[in-house]
Amino acid sequence: MLRAIVVVSAILSLTACDSRINPLNWFGGDREERITLNPDAVGANAIIDGRSLVAEVTQLSVEQTTSGAIVRAQGIMPSQGHYDAELVLVEVTDTVIAYEFRTAPPLGQSTAGLQQIDVAAELTVGELAGIRTITVISQNNRRSVGRR
């Protein structure tokens, strides 16, 4: 009985603190970096995709699930009518996963006004193994979240 009380109190104290070993603190808040992409620079590993990058990523979060995590991103476009939004995987290293946030342009003439677009991608526990940073790239900025 005493052993169970000690284990339960240890678990509760871990969830209450902002510790790196706390399993509920997988990824911290997102940080933004302003960038300028050169559309003429196409590297050897470039992905050919007819969709364009969203203008700006406004939010990024990683939510833990029983099978891994869900990466959620929110972006804006300067006009209405964009569709087929997706986080396109562009880089995977031992510690980093990077996505580009892409959408298809409007069919026909677009309507003026900002369009908010939400998108998500699922990662399994195996895909998350060793990952320290997840980055989402847009046309004008990139947002990253890192493990605490």
Side-chain angles (χ1 to χ4, degrees), residues 37-49 100 102:
L37 295 178
N38 181 358
D40 298 329
V42 177
N45 296 329
I47 296 174
I48 306 302
D49 190 335
E100 286 183 345
R102 295 193 167 270

Side-chain angles (χ1 to χ4, degrees), residues 15-16 23-24 37 60 64 74 79 82-83 116 126 131 136 140 146:
T15 58
L24 298 178
L37 295 178
L60 176 62
Q64 182 180 0
Q74 185 177 82
S79 61
H82 293 266
Y83 67 101
Q116 177 181 311
I131 298 300
V136 175
N140 297 320

Side-chain angles (χ1 to χ4, degrees), residues 103-123:
T103 64
L107 298 172
Q109 192 171 3
S110 65
T111 308
L114 292 178
Q115 179 181 5
Q116 177 181 311
I117 303 169
D118 295 324
V119 70
E122 183 180 11
L123 294 170

Side-chain angles (χ1 to χ4, degrees), residues 61-89:
S61 65
V62 178
E63 299 169 13
Q64 182 180 0
T65 66
T66 56
S67 61
I70 296 174
V71 179
R72 295 184 192 274
Q74 185 177 82
I76 55 172
M77 292 300 285
S79 61
Q80 300 282 324
H82 293 266
Y83 67 101
D84 194 20
E86 183 181 9
L87 291 176
V88 178
L89 186 64

